[in-house]
Amino acid sequence: MSTATSTPTGTGREPGRKVAHKHSQPSKRGRVQQRWLPWAFLAPTIVGMGIFTLLPIVASIALAFFRWDIISAPTFVGFDNFAEVVQDPTVRVSFLNTIVFVVVAVSLQLGLALGLAIMVQEKLPAWLRVFFRSAFFFPLILSAASVSIFMRYLFNEQFGVVNWMLSLIGIPAVPWLTTPGGSAAVVILVYVWQNFGFSFLLFIGGLASIPVETYEAASIDGATGWRKHVYVTLPLLSPTTLVASVMAIINALQVFDQPYVLTRGGPGDSTRTAVMVIFESAFQRLEFGQASAIGVILTLIIMAITAAQFRLSKRFVFYQ
Amino acid sequence: MSGTNGALRQFTRRSALTALGAGIVGVTAASWPRLTGADIPGRGDNSLSIAIMGTAADAAARQKVIDAFAKVHPEIKVKVQAIQAVDWKDFFTKILTMVAAGTPPDVVYVATEGAQLFAEKLAHPLDEYLRRDAADMKEYFQDVHPSLVEAFMYKGSLFQLPIDWNAANMYYNTASLAAAGLERPADNWTHTDFRSTLAAMKKAKPADFTPYYWTNRLFGGVVPWLYANDTSFLKETKSAGGEWLWDGFYANDPTRSLRSGGYQWLEPNADDPRVFESFDYLRGLVKDGLGVRPEEGGGGALIGLFASNRIGTTPAGGYWVQGLHEAGMTENDFDVQFFPKWRTQRHQFGTAGYAIMKTAKDKDAAWEWVKFSSSLEAMQIVFPTPNTTPARRSMVNQELYAGTGPRNWKVFYDTLDRFPTSGPIPAPPQQAAVETALMKNVSLAVSGDERQLKDALSSMQRDLELALRRQP
């Protein structure tokens, strides 16, 4: 029972008790403050979210039903934009590329992050852990565009450092950025290198929260090495894995910078992603309605995948 | 004691909140011009706002022209806004977002890539002003090749005056050529001569050397080869009209009969057998290790590679000269020749000039700026070094190239004088979509077998149909 709702009993109330009771019944001004103050603090965020997040979302959904080139007045076209988008082979390929990219990149990102987190947390001394945490997180704070420009030089077929290093061990020059397979591999590689640090930190946090006693108990029961991780670490890390995978998948579905700067979506459409076609439709073709339609479809896909993840999580996520 | 501490805490919290509030108000007030965009040059006053592609340093470099302009037109205040962009497509995108935001500049420096986009949707024609000031403008047109002017004609009206331009000529490394035991190529060298040259270069310098380097883009990529083979990936037609300009300013020009109301690119042409032939030639160069698979992007990075003798030849315009000079090349280290001949020796070129926006606050003032910028005085201020080719023939002279090279700098303007049918970059109003359609298929077309080439050209045809499906 809270102080505010308790009814004092007995006869000998202490002065202090009275004061406490008095404080638990706020004045009218206090009640108004209690009611509105949280809103006052939240207001800037709510206004900001409304203007910069909610309004563009609503406007974008509305725009999907118009044809608009920025310059002329918008024309209502119903579902034409959606019909054109669905029939456009480039859009279809870009969505397929995005799904393949998500599957491969997120698997690599989470696998690498988890493996390195376990290694760093268990095998390294404390002072070295700090170094690796920083080192692995460092790429994430770099601009994706800058990294990609740098990587273009590194992976240049004729003059890149990567091929030069390969040549030292007798491997002929690989056309990294000018063949579909090579360019897709480089885009994934660069993306994973730049983003796995975030998942790595999440896993480090998750590993730190697993009680040592659980491992000790597992050891007493005979679990060692690999089995310890399979039967203790992975189940107890499942909430972290859920969060990491949800965030990784949402981010990967929106990949743009790396393929745009590295390959411009090419060769052909081999590295063209969904967000790239949104950009190209809007700012290159000046078909903002179509771009919005693609954006709406992508948003629905992201929502569906995320919802599926949370639904499936009931089966594999173990909460202590 | 507790009371004192409480008061101190209360005082501190209040002070902190007050300070925080004051700080927020102060920062907001200080940032107000940025938040409202009032610090954008020309915004909020009557200045003529001019957008160019470049850096703040480029904008500052124009100050000398602004000062010279101010002496002639003290009543017109000018502010130059430099917009950084990766390429012209990126620059136009940024201008369009300014238009969408309701803050367009009054005048924009536009290259061929965006000329028809601006003419169709954003720019104001110069016809009335040219008719009015015909006497003043006569000297300009006498000094500028009509091909450049025609590139800015659209549906019978002129929208820009060419200020600078560049053709896709062929640069070659003189040391690599000498190592291959070859002399300077003949003016009318052919595509087979070119291939032989590359083969000789490769034989002479087999390691860490690329005989032909090219990039995948609209200027200097595959298009010059298509033009030389008397074709293009878009069907090129011309619109009627424009007699007012040609008869008024170029009546006695020997190429008068070639001139029109402007270029039109209305249909795709990637299924033309000559397009296949041209691509197949490039595919052969790649297959035999004479040329690279082209990467997408600009050619700026090539300067260092060319200057370090790791590239034998590459197509580029006069804009490369200053860069090579700054990279340490002397006038003996490199030279330039016409693009190799095939069925024709028609070249590809691009040009740029100022476009007056339909929304310009004061179009008369904007015209005065455009007119002044095309004057010999202004152009000499803007182009003190050969970092591009000036549109005025009289400025492309020994003096401009002294100390930098190339020895055969005459090639630059001779490209137009000797090949007057040379054409502009194929850039309809849907240029960005067209460029994407071209670029995305070029790498595939030249990197595989014949079947892959056919598939890539079919894909290009389909993509171009989509890009051009809505005609203005």
Side-chain angles (χ1 to χ4, degrees):
Chain A
M1 192 180 286
S2 71
T3 314
T5 54
S6 63
T7 308
T9 54
T11 51
R13 285 186 196 159
E14 293 171 15
R17 178 75 174 166
K18 276 184 182 177
V19 170
H21 181 68
K22 196 176 179 181
H23 273 277
S24 68
Q25 292 292 329
S27 63
K28 189 180 176 187
R29 187 180 162 198
R31 284 199 303 273
V32 169
Q33 267 191 352
Q34 267 187 356
R35 187 170 178 185
W36 293 109
L37 203 60
W39 290 106
F41 280 112
L42 285 172
T45 307
I46 291 171
V47 170
M49 288 276 285
I51 293 174
F52 297 111
T53 306
L54 199 61
L55 196 63
I57 289 173
V58 173
S60 183
I61 293 169
L63 198 55
F65 297 94
F66 287 84
R67 184 161 292 145
W68 188 46
D69 68 353
I70 282 189
I71 299 150
S72 321
T75 316
F76 183 75
V77 292
F79 283 92
D80 282 7
N81 285 327
F82 290 95
E84 286 182 7
V85 159
V86 170
Q87 288 166 9
D88 189 334
T90 305
V91 176
R92 288 204 301 266
V93 168
S94 69
F95 271 87
L96 189 64
N97 287 344
T98 307
I99 297 297
V100 171
F101 175 84
V102 168
V103 171
V104 178
V106 171
S107 304
L108 286 174
Q109 181 180 332
L110 295 183
L112 190 67
L114 179 60
L116 287 173
I118 291 172
M119 278 176 64
V120 167
Q121 192 73 359
E122 291 193 353
K123 309 283 181 192
L124 297 181
W127 65 271
L128 210 52
R129 275 184 223 161
V130 175
F131 168 76
F132 276 104
R133 280 178 202 172
S134 309
F136 292 149
F137 192 75
F138 180 69
L140 198 69
I141 61 172
L142 300 174
S143 143
S146 311
V147 166
S148 303
I149 290 170
F150 177 67
M151 293 291 180
R152 269 181 75 100
Y153 289 100
L154 245 59
F155 284 97
N156 182 286
E157 183 182 350
Q158 268 69 38
F159 312 110
V161 173
V162 174
N163 275 352
W164 172 76
M165 289 170 78
L166 291 176
S167 73
L168 297 178
I169 52 171
I171 297 175
V174 180
W176 293 109
L177 297 171
T178 49
T179 52
S183 57
V186 172
V187 167
I188 289 171
L189 197 71
V190 173
Y191 179 87
V192 170
W193 173 76
Q194 199 172 9
N195 287 278
F196 86 92
F198 185 71
S199 309
F200 168 81
L201 279 193
L202 288 179
F203 283 129
I204 285 279
L207 287 169
S209 69
I210 298 175
V212 180
E213 295 79 13
T214 315
Y215 285 114
E216 288 171 355
S219 297
I220 292 167
D221 290 342
T224 53
W226 177 248
R227 292 171 68 85
K228 200 169 67 179
H229 289 305
V230 171
Y231 296 110
V232 177
T233 308
L234 289 185
L236 292 183
L237 212 54
S238 56
T240 310
T241 308
L242 174 67
V243 172
S245 65
V246 166
M247 296 182 79
I249 288 174
I250 290 174
N251 282 336
L253 281 164
Q254 298 175 72
V255 63
F256 174 79
D257 310 49
Q258 290 87 356
Y260 184 74
V261 178
L262 278 164
T263 63
R264 299 266 165 165
D269 287 322
S270 58
T271 53
R272 200 169 305 277
T273 64
V275 177
M276 273 183 75
V277 290
I278 293 175
F279 172 79
E280 286 170 357
S281 295
F283 295 103
Q284 295 184 354
R285 290 187 182 180
L286 300 184
E287 290 176 346
F288 282 81
Q290 278 200 4
S292 297
I294 303 169
V296 168
I297 293 170
L298 181 64
T299 306
L300 291 175
I301 289 174
I302 291 174
M303 286 169 71
I305 291 175
T306 309
Q309 276 182 285
F310 278 108
R311 198 170 178 81
L312 285 171
S313 71
K314 289 175 185 167
R315 293 187 184 177
F316 71 80
V317 174
F318 172 76
Y319 293 99
Q320 281 178 284
Chain B
M1 187 74 182
S2 63
T4 308
N5 283 343
L8 186 62
R9 273 200 304 273
Q10 197 171 42
F11 175 75
T12 305
R13 191 172 66 231
R14 282 183 181 170
S15 298
L17 285 171
T18 307
L20 183 67
I24 290 170
V25 171
V27 168
T28 305
S31 309
W32 193 250
R34 184 77 286 251
L35 288 170
T36 57
D39 60 343
I40 293 173
R43 178 87 59 88
D45 61 21
N46 288 325
S47 300
L48 192 65
S49 156
I50 294 163
I52 60 167
M53 185 168 87
T55 60
D58 293 319
R62 306 262 168 157
Q63 192 55 47
K64 282 184 182 175
V65 187
I66 295 171
D67 295 343
F69 180 69
K71 285 179 187 165
V72 185
H73 291 286
E75 77 283 5
I76 303 173
K77 202 175 164 192
V78 174
K79 286 186 181 174
V80 173
Q81 180 183 2
I83 296 171
Q84 276 188 278
V86 178
D87 51 27
W88 283 107
K89 193 164 66 176
D90 191 28
F91 173 71
F92 302 143
T93 298
K94 289 177 178 175
I95 295 291
L96 286 166
T97 54
M98 290 170 78
V99 171
T103 57
D106 297 312
V107 178
V108 183
Y109 200 66
V110 179
T112 319
E113 285 89 334
Q116 294 206 350
L117 169 69
F118 274 72
E120 178 62 40
K121 296 176 184 284
L122 299 165
H124 181 78
L126 305 178
D127 307 7
E128 56 184 304
Y129 294 113
L130 287 167
R131 285 193 181 100
R132 190 189 74 188
D133 296 345
D136 295 340
M137 296 308 299
K138 205 170 177 181
E139 179 269 337
Y140 167 82
F141 286 109
Q142 278 176 346
D143 203 17
V144 174
H145 198 279
S147 290
L148 301 178
V149 177
E150 192 180 14
F152 284 150
M153 290 288 284
Y154 186 66
K155 296 181 180 175
S157 288
L158 187 67
F159 284 85
Q160 296 165 246
L161 297 178
I163 302 291
D164 75 307
W165 71 286
N166 287 284
N169 295 124
M170 192 64 77
Y171 279 72
Y172 60 90
N173 185 303
T174 50
S176 303
L177 199 72
L182 298 171
E183 299 285 320
R184 172 177 165 76
D187 285 359
N188 62 346
W189 62 332
T190 64
H191 69 298
T192 49
D193 297 334
F194 180 69
R195 191 188 158 89
S196 307
T197 304
L198 300 183
M201 281 182 170
K202 185 179 168 67
K203 198 175 172 187
K205 295 182 80 174
D208 197 19
F209 175 78
T210 300
Y212 180 56
Y213 205 103
W214 57 303
T215 45
N216 184 9
R217 55 182 178 153
L218 204 47
F219 178 81
V222 72
V223 180
W225 291 108
L226 298 174
Y227 277 20
N229 200 16
D230 199 21
T231 188
S232 181
F233 67 101
L234 297 176
K235 282 181 185 157
E236 182 184 294
T237 56
K238 290 187 175 184
S239 55
E243 289 80 8
W244 64 273
L245 184 129
W246 305 119
D247 294 341
F249 296 107
Y250 289 98
N252 300 320
D253 190 277
T255 65
R256 165 66 187 91
S257 61
L258 297 172
R259 305 306 161 195
S260 68
Y263 287 84
Q264 284 188 307
W265 296 278
L266 304 172
E267 294 174 57
N269 194 44
D271 55 4
D272 179 8
R274 287 185 189 175
V275 171
F276 177 88
E277 190 180 32
S278 309
F279 271 93
D280 202 34
Y281 172 78
L282 289 168
R283 190 175 71 89
L285 296 186
V286 173
K287 192 177 151 200
D288 295 341
L290 302 176
V292 294
R293 298 166 197 245
E295 279 186 49
E296 290 167 9
L302 293 183
I303 286 181
L305 296 170
F306 191 90
S308 56
N309 300 325
R310 295 167 79 184
I311 292 175
T313 62
T314 195
Y319 57 84
W320 243 39
V321 174
Q322 186 65 19
L324 291 178
H325 174 67
E326 287 167 6
M329 284 199 122
T330 70
E331 56 189 322
N332 297 319
D333 295 334
F334 72 99
D335 209 341
V336 66
Q337 182 52 289
F338 297 120
F339 205 80
K341 186 181 175 183
W342 200 325
R343 283 187 170 85
T344 73
Q345 208 164 359
R346 184 186 197 222
H347 284 61
Q348 178 197 34
F349 70 81
T351 179
Y354 290 104
I356 300 173
M357 298 289 273
K358 277 179 189 167
T359 49
K361 296 183 288 286
D362 185 347
K363 291 191 181 65
D364 289 347
W367 164 247
E368 292 305 328
W369 169 261
V370 173
K371 191 167 72 165
F372 180 78
S373 297
S374 67
S375 68
L376 191 60
E377 178 194 359
M379 286 177 65
Q380 281 174 336
I381 295 171
V382 175
F383 304 124
T385 58
N387 57 7
T388 185
T389 316
R392 284 174 170 273
R393 185 185 285 102
S394 62
M395 288 177 64
V396 186
N397 54 29
Q398 180 64 53
E399 193 185 342
L400 184 63
Y401 297 98
T404 61
R407 289 194 177 281
N408 293 288
W409 53 266
K410 282 188 179 172
V411 161
F412 294 131
Y413 219 98
D414 277 355
T415 300
L416 295 179
D417 285 336
R418 290 180 53 180
F419 309 105
T421 58
S422 289
I425 296 165
Q430 310 90 333
Q431 176 269 338
V434 163
E435 185 174 356
T436 302
L438 173 77
M439 286 167 62
K440 71 184 245 188
N441 292 296
V442 166
S443 283
L444 286 179
V446 301
S447 303
D449 57 14
E450 194 176 308
R451 177 155 196 82
Q452 186 172 315
L453 166 58
K454 283 180 183 166
D455 289 347
L457 291 181
S458 299
S459 167
M460 191 191 300
Q461 180 78 4
R462 184 202 66 207
D463 291 338
L464 290 169
E465 278 168 11
L466 272 174
L468 296 169
R469 69 184 183 277
R470 291 196 191 106
Q471 291 298 335

